[in-house]
Amino acid sequence: MTSPDEPGAATGPRTDRPRRRRVGKGPGAGEGGGTTPRRIHAAGRRGVPLPLLLPGVLALVFLLLPLLALLVRAPWRSLPDQLTSTEVWQALQLSLVSATLATAVSLVLGVPLAWLLARTDFPGRGLVRALVTLPLVLPPVVGGVALLLALGRNGVIGKWLDAWFGITLPFTTTAVVLAEAFVAMPFLVISVEGTLRAADPRFEEAATTLGASRFTAFRRVTLPLIAPGVAAGAVLAWARALGEFGATITFAGNFPGRTQTMPLAVYLALQNDPEAAISLSLVLLAVSIAVLAGLRDRWLTGV
């Protein structure tokens, strides 16, 4: 009979299983004894270097002070009368209609262009992408001059439109839409191309292997996948078109009721009636805030 003191003696339930190591419970200890990401993130926010704090606060003041000055100096008492004038409503209506039409043109032409840049490989694709984004950095006045030289009555294409069809584009409402689409379309193309590159192309390829055409696969599979990116790009393009000034005044002119949009009305009112210019600026500021609110899930979510 084996003694309890001898090796191998059965004295009850086995207790020789390896014990689980208890991780630290102290401050900052997480799984594996390390520091949790939340605590790391919180610790990173505690200390702000003074050389970074001061320029950051100065930049915030620099960006917000003009907007606060606009609100402080706004003629709140006469604001309803100024915003209900005929000239303001004509400019506002023209701005909303032309920006919407410019966005529609950008959608019809920009989404296929974004698909070509994201899904196809052709010689000079990098150059084409650079040219597409050129209006983003091109001064708007230069864009208006370029449109005038291309589509004007004596332009490269405009002279043929005038001679063959009797179509004159400059200084018309159509010119407003074209000028706004020229500067707004790159925003949509960049947004949609980025969404297409992030989307898995295998879904589209699977649809084509099941017998769907490339266009059907794009319309039924790819387009629903990239719908949020298309919507965000359309909102950005609409906002950019609404605030366009340089290309519009150069290519379309400043004719009340026909080509005078809200930014042009602000510029004209600033010379004669500063209070009216402030009131019109408040309208555009409200529209900009509404655009940011619509894109809050894309731009305003914290990390």
Side-chain angles (χ1 to χ4, degrees), residues 19 71 137:
R19 296 182 178 180
L71 296 176
V137 297

Side-chain angles (χ1 to χ4, degrees), residues 20-287:
R20 295 181 180 178
R21 183 179 180 182
R22 298 183 63 183
V23 297
K25 298 295 183 179
E31 185 176 354
T35 305
T36 60
R38 180 178 298 178
R39 290 186 179 275
I40 293 176
H41 191 59
R45 289 184 175 180
R46 291 175 183 172
V48 180
L50 190 61
L52 298 180
L53 178 62
L54 293 179
V57 173
L58 182 62
L60 182 63
V61 173
F62 174 73
L63 293 175
L64 295 182
L65 184 59
L67 302 180
L68 293 177
L70 185 64
L71 296 176
V72 171
R73 299 294 299 273
W76 297 105
R77 294 182 179 179
S78 60
L79 185 63
D81 296 333
Q82 292 178 355
L83 294 182
T84 54
S85 63
T86 305
E87 294 79 6
V88 172
W89 278 106
Q90 286 180 349
L92 180 59
Q93 181 181 4
L94 179 62
S95 295
L96 296 177
V97 172
S98 60
T100 303
L101 291 177
T103 304
V105 173
S106 301
L107 284 170
V108 173
L109 302 179
V111 173
L113 176 58
W115 187 89
L116 290 176
L117 293 176
R119 287 287 192 265
T120 60
D121 189 10
F122 55 90
R125 185 176 62 174
L127 178 61
V128 172
R129 182 181 292 108
L131 294 176
V132 167
T133 58
L134 185 60
L136 293 176
V137 297
L138 191 70
V141 176
V142 177
V145 172
L147 288 172
L148 195 61
L149 294 177
L151 302 176
R153 181 171 294 180
N154 296 322
V156 177
I157 300 176
K159 62 181 179 180
W160 302 111
L161 293 176
D162 186 23
W164 292 351
F165 306 103
I167 298 176
T168 303
L169 294 176
F171 309 110
T172 61
T173 305
T174 304
V176 176
V177 176
L178 293 178
E180 292 179 351
F182 177 78
V183 299
M185 191 183 301
F187 288 88
L188 184 135
V189 173
I190 290 176
S191 178
V192 176
E193 183 190 1
T195 308
L196 280 168
R197 290 184 178 277
D200 195 342
R202 291 178 295 179
F203 294 105
E204 192 172 341
E205 296 173 358
T208 56
T209 57
L210 295 175
S213 63
R214 297 288 290 180
F215 179 72
T216 302
F218 169 77
R219 182 172 55 89
R220 300 292 297 273
V221 178
T222 306
L223 194 57
L225 288 175
I226 65 172
V230 175
V235 173
L236 289 175
W238 186 85
R240 180 63 183 89
L242 186 70
E244 170 52 33
F245 175 81
T248 304
I249 197 172
T250 306
F251 183 54
N254 187 14
F255 301 100
R258 188 172 65 179
T259 64
Q260 187 182 85
T261 58
M262 286 289 288
L264 302 184
V266 171
Y267 175 76
L268 184 63
L270 188 60
Q271 302 176 7
N272 304 322
D273 189 358
E275 290 189 354
I278 296 175
S279 302
L280 295 174
S281 300
L282 286 176
V283 175
L284 294 178
L285 178 62
V287 172

